[in-house]
Amino acid sequence: MSYDALIIGAGHNGLVAACYLARAGMKVCVVEKNDWIGGAAVSRELFPGFTYSNCSYVSSLFRPEIMRDLELPRHGLQILPYEGGAVLTRNGGYLAMFRDHDANRREFARHSPRDAEAYDRYSRDILRFCRFIRPMLMRTPPDPSRFRPRDLSELAFLGRQIGALSEGQIAAMVRFWTMSIADFLDEYFENPVIKAYLAVSAIIGTALGPMSPGSAYVLLHHYMGDVDGNVGAWGFARGGMGAITQALSKSLAAAGGEIRAGQGVDQVLVEGGRAVGVVLANGDEIRARRVISNMDVKRTFLGHVAEKDLPGDFVKRVRAFKTRGSSGKLNIALDAAPVFPALPEGSPMLKGDLHFTDSMERMERAYDDWKDGQFSRDPFQDAMIPTMIDPTMTPPGKHFMSCFVQYAPPKIAGRDWTDADRDAFRDTCLNQIEAYAPGFKNKVLHVEVRTPRELEAEVGLTEGNIFQGELTFDQLLFNRPVPGYADYRSPIRDLWICGSSTHPGGGVMGAPGRNAAAEILRDAKLGTRGMRDAYPVL
Amino acid sequence: MPIPSSEIIVIGAGVNGLACAARLAGQGHRVTLVEAASAPGGAMALAHLTPGIDPRVAKDMDLARHGLTFHPELAATLLSQNSPHLTVRGGEASGGDLDPTEVAAFRNLHKRLSRFAAALAPFRAMTPPRLAAKGNEWGKLARLGLGLRAMGKADFREFLRMILINAHDAATDELTDDRLRGLIAFDATLGGWLGPRSPNSLILYLNRLAMGGALVPKGGMAAVAGAMAQAAQAKGVTLRLNARVARLLVEADQASGVELDSGEKLHADLVVSAIGPKATFRDLVGPRHLDTGFYTAAGHIRARGATARLALSLTAPPDFRGADPAGRLIIAPSSEAVERAWNPVKYAGVPDRPVMEITLPHAHDGGPPRLTALVQFAPHDPADKAAAKARMLENTLTVLEDHAPGLSATIGETEFLMPWEIEARYGLAGGNWHNGDLAVEQMLFLRPMAGAARYDTPLPRLWLAGSGSHPGGWVTGAAGWNAAGGILEALR
């Protein structure tokens, strides 16, 4: 039995690639080490009657082009936009967030009339940056060190994009890409709470603080998605994040593809310099015309390929690829909705993300702890209760709460996490929430704590890095994952990579899987007719 | 046909003002250089080393003939409290316990980074290109790009990967020795407002490699100022000391001269400001003569100094556990130590263990024992300035004493300048050495800000020539020289 394409890992990118290849007529098989599929986009019942989105927890980046190409709504995917959100402040106040720009503006005005004015300017500028970067998400980055026709035409495309901007716009954009989010926001806003709210997207998942240069780009990375055409909007997948990968698996089945769960790969089979299949952990061999890895670049090449089959320089670069984990997570089953006395009753604020960090300085100090090899004593949490909008995940009246935590290091002071560390981490996070929602802890039925250790062990993310590699310029575009190999290929013929380690990087976006499939189809001379180009930002 | 001679006023007799004035005068213009202080030199006095005066400046001003000479280039001694010191000369590291593979690794890294620096050097000498101009600017950029590509495919790829990387990662990926990592981390961040783990920090190290090594002028920094002033005057520059400019004169929406503190008005065809861009636009010009958006953006020029300067006179030569006193002595035990010294400054705090670069002037020029140190990192705007200064000095002296036991007991006079004092004394915005953070988002066509990056400004006949402009500070005169080139081209 031999396949046209064998994909290692049933995460969202592996499944996206599989779907496109199967729809183009390839015979496709996806193998997954876990007994369930989804990678980091999963819904799992980890407490009786409660569905957890126990890894990724929000959908915004997932490309609508892919949703349409693969007919995911028809296969059951529904995205529900946030309806609100809030930053709770230490002095008992709050900053509310709404879906509507004008409502936000009025809320900003309550904190600072000047910042409300600036908000229009800020939103316009960010939208312009998004408009510029969007088309690049769905393209293979050019290799500027080579002069192949495709590299030159992609460079020319980039040149045209830049050429369409005014001198002032180019200057503004280059500044934005290289600045820290703290400096950037300081140019618009004066209110610390507003700045803390807006800085959030710049630190989520990254080993950077808001004062690190380059963090403004990370904000854009989180902002360039949309829900129903609302750029920057975030939403929940109905039924949890697993709904995305479930819809993908149905789409794959409809196209004739196959998924084998509970079948971990031991080694990629290489014969005569070509990948010809895989050896499973149980010793079975599956042969295929090409192998596509959805694992991160370190796990793929350092863990599942013999070093002798790879050039030394490549191995060195892969070893140096930065995958420092910086995030943890608490998944909480609640007996009843938490009550935050600061928030007006019945407000939509609980139907979105809640933050307890009211200044960028507190975020930066949380990052300093991480640099010292500790989890943050005063962590930043992005907490949300999807069951406020989506009643399908818990029994009536009960709730699921997802708390994403910055920062948690892959190791504690150079040694592995212990269970005691993990408990201390949990308590730190729960106590922070308790301070804003008295009685919260009494409503907790169950907590699943995820440190980088658990993320690595279960999902396979090296060092627990949720983006399969940091999003700094040395690891973006043509540098991602390794200079010269940003075209989803590897030094081994017929071994491809399609995970978030590749351009354009992490988040439940699907673009890496889609772009890898496009390269594979071009390579196989099958054409990419079934793929839409990026939608423009309106 | 000779160019008609113009009347030009240059504000500020620092290294860039002097270089600019001399070049303009050398082309036949009547140049008056006005300086607020009683002696030329400006913020040069703050430095204790120079990477060397830009060769274009040194040659044209014939500084050697005016008496400027340097001691041989300094090696860096990486001081240790308990293990042997390391010595680094160029790319060669040596010292008692250093592993030969580490020596080779450092040499390779230094070679590679030096190749990158050499490729960047032409950028330092140019006027930043316009980005959306008609004409051949894009062609010029493409040529520069191809020039970089000429370093070969492997190097070019590494260059693109490393150009915006942080110094800590760059050092940690290649080296295992904490002290060598510490040196790169320290040198990358000296004079900046960022830590070695901040992305975009390695490019500052490359910038330093592109400029040259560490030199002590014979006779100290004052000798540089003296030689340059003499050379400028020899070219016909009129130097007016004790002449502080109160405001710029504007007629018919053009710069037409300056008014001094004394009320005296000096008229000119062109005014060149070699002081900080922020002060130039916000204080000398003011909002009336600038577009609102531009005036606001000028206020956003980030200028934050994080370096304090210590000068001690001593009753006995200090002994840093046998270190060569004629070296550049570095206390930066590891990259992490540099980062830890940086952390509190983000919140206007003071580090427990500052890192520093030390020179011992008596070891070069003789005279009584003295010590100067550039100490990092220091807050530029703490709430309680006196307390912050006292703590910073105390912590600095503790670190010094740890490395040179007995030094404290020999201290005579102490001069310790925190960033805000540096600002007050030398006019450097925020106490920042470069009159505006030297950071990627304020480099090249963004330095000091978009719309004023080519030394000209939105106000006709007003030009910039200071370290706030491309390619930034350090005692080289490159910015002033480049600016004069732009002015001469415009006058042609």
Side-chain angles (χ1 to χ4, degrees):
Chain A
M1 179 82 170
S2 175
Y3 293 93
D4 293 321
L6 186 132
I7 289 139
I8 307 172
H12 57 279
N13 280 312
L15 291 171
V16 165
C19 285
Y20 277 111
L21 297 180
R23 293 167 78 93
M26 284 190 178
K27 194 168 161 50
V28 173
C29 177
V30 182
V31 291
E32 164 60 46
K33 80 176 168 75
N34 288 329
D35 293 331
W36 60 93
I37 64 151
V42 288
S43 305
R44 297 182 62 205
E45 184 175 321
L46 296 172
F47 186 70
F50 286 74
T51 304
Y52 288 14
S53 288
N54 80 326
C55 296
S56 64
Y57 59 97
V58 49
S59 173
S60 134
L61 299 171
F62 201 80
R63 302 307 313 143
E65 299 89 340
I66 299 174
M67 273 194 222
R68 306 257 154 81
D69 280 348
L70 305 181
E71 303 173 279
L72 300 186
R74 188 163 75 77
H75 292 292
L77 179 61
Q78 198 185 345
I79 303 290
L80 310 166
Y82 287 8
E83 292 183 14
V87 183
L88 291 137
T89 60
R90 273 182 164 168
N91 62 8
Y94 68 90
L95 170 76
M97 224 59 53
F98 305 98
R99 275 178 77 182
D100 177 59
H101 176 88
D102 292 327
N104 278 340
R105 200 179 183 288
R106 284 193 295 277
E107 173 67 359
F108 277 21
R110 192 166 70 83
H111 293 263
S112 158
R114 189 176 154 254
D115 286 1
E117 299 279 324
Y119 185 53
D120 291 342
R121 201 159 46 87
Y122 172 82
S123 303
R124 193 191 58 217
D125 289 351
I126 294 282
L127 194 65
R128 189 184 308 121
F129 302 146
C130 283
R131 195 171 288 148
F132 178 82
I133 205 149
R134 255 305 185 78
M136 279 179 282
L137 296 179
M138 307 276 270
R139 305 179 81 97
T140 301
D143 181 346
S145 71
R146 293 169 78 169
F147 302 104
R148 294 173 304 189
R150 252 194 85 73
D151 294 321
L152 294 176
S153 72
E154 286 296 313
L155 278 174
F157 171 80
L158 195 63
R160 280 196 305 278
Q161 290 275 107
I162 297 172
L165 302 172
S166 73
E167 189 166 14
Q169 286 170 343
I170 295 174
M173 201 157 316
V174 174
R175 289 183 79 228
F176 176 76
W177 284 339
T178 50
M179 280 171 87
S180 76
I181 193 64
D183 286 344
F184 185 72
L185 292 173
D186 278 343
E187 291 188 2
Y188 293 86
F189 303 106
E190 61 184 10
N191 183 278
V193 186
I194 288 173
K195 286 191 271 193
Y197 168 71
L198 293 170
V200 163
S201 293
I203 62 162
I204 287 203
T206 66
L208 296 175
M211 295 183 183
S212 302
S215 52
Y217 168 75
V218 182
L219 173 119
L220 196 59
H221 192 91
H222 282 109
Y223 248 72
M224 58 203 173
D226 46 33
V227 173
D228 290 343
N230 270 328
V231 177
W234 288 16
F236 305 111
R238 189 177 165 92
M241 290 300 282
I244 294 177
T245 41
Q246 287 303 327
L248 283 166
S249 77
K250 285 183 191 135
S251 176
L252 178 60
E258 185 186 334
I259 301 178
R260 298 192 197 174
Q263 304 211 0
V265 167
D266 181 53
Q267 278 288 301
V268 174
L269 264 180
V270 179
E271 289 172 6
R274 303 172 84 102
V276 296
V278 296
V279 183
L280 297 178
N282 64 13
D284 289 355
E285 265 186 37
I286 310 179
R287 316 238 357 147
R289 171 70 184 74
R290 55 186 66 77
V291 176
I292 301 138
S293 171
N294 183 28
M295 298 182 290
D296 69 52
V297 67
K298 277 187 156 163
R299 208 171 172 87
T300 302
F301 295 104
L302 305 179
H304 296 85
V305 175
E307 192 173 334
K308 66 170 173 48
D309 291 324
L310 296 167
D313 283 352
F314 180 82
V315 173
K316 186 179 170 205
R317 279 276 67 82
V318 171
R319 282 216 174 93
F321 189 68
K322 305 293 178 289
T323 53
R324 293 174 280 228
S326 63
S327 318
K329 196 162 183 254
L330 264 58
N331 296 304
I332 306 168
L334 289 173
D335 200 25
V339 177
F340 295 90
L343 302 182
E345 217 170 314
S347 78
M349 288 171 234
L350 287 183
K351 297 177 177 176
D353 47 352
L354 300 171
H355 308 151
F356 314 104
T357 306
D358 57 6
S359 73
M360 293 194 292
E361 178 175 332
R362 282 175 68 195
M363 290 178 185
E364 184 73 19
R365 286 184 186 277
Y367 172 59
D368 287 346
D369 289 340
W370 178 89
K371 283 193 294 187
D372 274 344
Q374 302 296 332
F375 63 79
S376 307
R377 286 159 292 181
D378 174 27
F380 162 77
Q381 296 198 67
D382 188 22
M384 59 193 54
I385 310 166
T387 43
M388 289 285 173
I389 301 183
D390 174 7
T392 67
M393 297 174 78
T394 57
K398 317 281 182 197
H399 288 280
F400 164 65
M401 185 169 182
S402 158
C403 301
F404 177 87
V405 190
Q406 279 305 98
Y407 298 81
K411 286 184 183 282
I412 295 286
R415 59 160 173 81
D416 287 328
W417 281 75
T418 62
D419 290 350
D421 295 327
R422 198 180 55 182
D423 291 347
F425 175 65
R426 176 198 63 202
D427 293 343
T428 301
C429 298
L430 292 180
N431 289 339
Q432 189 184 54
I433 302 170
E434 176 79 22
Y436 296 91
F440 167 78
K441 289 207 279 190
N442 290 334
K443 296 174 180 165
V444 174
L445 300 172
H446 171 253
V447 188
E448 185 203 23
V449 188
R450 324 279 314 227
T451 70
R453 177 179 71 158
E454 283 79 26
L455 288 172
E456 170 151 15
E458 182 185 301
V459 189
L461 297 167
T462 301
E463 294 186 84
N465 186 295
I466 67 167
F467 295 142
Q468 287 198 350
E470 279 176 23
L471 298 176
T472 45
F473 181 78
D474 52 305
Q475 303 197 149
L476 285 173
L477 284 168
F478 41 77
N479 290 324
R480 191 171 186 89
V482 170
Y485 297 94
D487 56 359
Y488 308 94
R489 289 166 174 83
S490 77
I492 297 172
R493 177 96 183 114
D494 294 329
L495 174 59
W496 301 72
I497 38 176
C498 72
S500 299
S501 283
T502 61
H503 170 78
V508 184
M509 193 187 310
R514 179 247 180 229
N515 294 351
E519 283 296 323
I520 292 166
L521 291 175
R522 274 185 214 113
D523 186 72
K525 309 244 176 326
L526 286 173
T528 57
R529 259 169 318 184
M531 292 182 170
R532 271 160 241 251
D533 279 336
Y535 294 150
V537 177
L538 299 174
Chain B
M1 196 177 105
I3 308 163
S5 156
S6 299
E7 193 77 51
I8 301 175
I9 293 171
V10 179
I11 307 170
V15 65
N16 286 305
L18 285 162
C20 181
R23 186 174 183 187
L24 294 173
Q27 294 298 313
H29 298 290
R30 297 186 303 279
V31 181
T32 306
L33 179 56
V34 292
E35 166 59 45
S38 56
M44 263 192 253
L46 196 56
H48 57 191
L49 293 167
T50 158
I53 301 298
D54 187 305
R56 298 170 301 168
V57 178
K59 183 161 176 282
D60 183 77
M61 293 179 78
D62 207 354
L63 294 178
R65 192 169 63 81
H66 291 282
L68 181 62
T69 51
F70 295 92
H71 293 287
E73 190 175 325
L74 272 59
T77 301
L78 315 186
L79 298 180
S80 174
Q81 263 178 266
N82 32 41
S83 49
H85 304 316
L86 298 190
T87 303
V88 177
R89 192 179 287 281
E92 291 304 317
S94 58
D97 59 343
L98 205 56
D99 188 89
T101 57
E102 185 69 359
V103 172
F106 187 78
R107 187 184 301 130
N108 287 338
L109 179 61
H110 179 83
K111 275 189 188 155
R112 187 192 312 149
L113 296 183
S114 298
R115 290 196 299 273
F116 295 169
L120 286 176
F123 287 87
R124 287 183 50 82
M126 72 190 279
T127 298
R130 292 203 60 177
L131 292 180
K134 298 182 191 83
N136 64 354
E137 291 283 325
W138 281 100
K140 195 162 137 194
L141 275 178
R143 273 200 305 284
L144 284 167
L146 286 175
L148 292 173
R149 178 65 183 80
M151 65 173 87
K153 186 154 103 183
D155 260 7
F156 182 61
R157 280 183 175 164
E158 272 300 87
F159 175 82
L160 289 180
R161 186 182 71 85
M162 295 180 78
I163 188 71
L164 296 183
I165 206 170
N166 70 71
H168 169 84
D169 281 349
T172 311
D173 283 347
E174 306 294 334
L175 307 172
T176 53
D177 190 275
D178 269 344
R179 297 160 293 185
L180 294 174
R181 290 171 172 179
L183 174 68
I184 290 176
F186 181 85
D187 278 352
T189 54
L190 183 63
W193 201 85
L194 77 182
R197 291 191 83 139
S198 300
N200 310 345
S201 47
L202 187 74
I203 195 171
L204 302 179
Y205 187 81
L206 298 180
N207 184 44
R208 291 193 59 176
L209 285 178
M211 285 186 292
L215 297 171
V216 173
K218 287 188 176 159
M221 283 296 154
V224 181
M228 287 186 80
Q230 209 183 88
Q233 283 166 309
K235 281 190 178 287
V237 171
T238 307
L239 177 61
R240 286 196 55 178
L241 299 171
N242 301 310
R244 182 178 291 277
V245 174
R247 65 184 185 97
L248 193 81
L249 299 175
V250 179
E251 278 166 31
D253 288 329
Q254 299 190 338
S256 65
V258 297
E259 182 178 333
L260 302 180
D261 256 359
S262 59
E264 183 185 356
K265 289 180 178 168
L266 305 176
H267 291 274
D269 300 315
L270 288 184
V271 178
V272 184
S273 170
I275 65 167
K278 209 168 181 169
T280 302
F281 294 127
R282 304 279 295 189
D283 304 338
L284 295 190
V285 182
R288 250 184 73 199
H289 303 295
L290 293 169
D291 172 78
T292 315
F294 184 88
Y295 183 76
T296 307
H300 288 158
I301 295 173
R302 270 183 309 287
R304 298 166 290 201
T307 313
R309 188 183 197 278
L310 175 70
L312 298 175
S313 61
L314 304 166
T315 56
D319 174 20
F320 287 89
R321 293 182 53 242
D324 174 11
R328 180 168 77 99
L329 310 179
I330 307 286
I331 302 180
S334 68
S335 171
E336 286 82 2
V338 179
E339 185 76 18
R340 270 196 297 276
W342 157 243
N343 281 340
V345 175
K346 295 184 289 192
Y347 324 112
V350 168
D352 292 333
R353 303 283 297 177
V355 292
M356 61 193 84
E357 173 187 88
I358 301 159
T359 65
L360 303 172
H362 58 271
H364 301 285
D365 284 332
R370 281 158 293 154
L371 176 152
T372 60
L374 299 171
V375 188
Q376 301 229 113
F377 293 84
H380 74 282
D381 193 18
D384 183 343
K385 289 193 163 63
K389 177 175 176 168
R391 247 198 95 207
M392 187 81 197
L393 178 59
E394 187 189 333
N395 294 351
T396 302
L397 293 178
T398 303
V399 170
L400 276 172
E401 174 73 21
D402 289 345
H403 288 81
L407 180 136
S408 305
T410 64
I411 295 175
E413 266 174 65
T414 304
E415 184 195 56
F416 190 58
L417 297 177
M418 290 290 273
W420 62 89
E421 295 169 300
I422 288 170
E423 172 165 20
R425 184 179 295 191
Y426 299 107
L428 296 171
N432 179 278
W433 288 7
H434 309 283
N435 245 319
D437 296 0
L438 193 57
V440 170
E441 71 269 19
Q442 293 191 151
M443 274 186 187
L444 215 62
F445 53 85
L446 299 173
R447 185 160 191 87
M449 58 191 290
R454 294 165 57 81
Y455 307 104
D456 60 348
T457 72
L459 184 67
R461 303 193 172 192
L462 173 66
W463 292 72
L464 298 178
S467 59
S469 294
H470 175 75
W474 301 93
V475 183
T476 73
W481 188 260
N482 288 357
I487 294 166
L488 291 171
E489 203 173 304
L491 288 174
R492 198 162 291 143

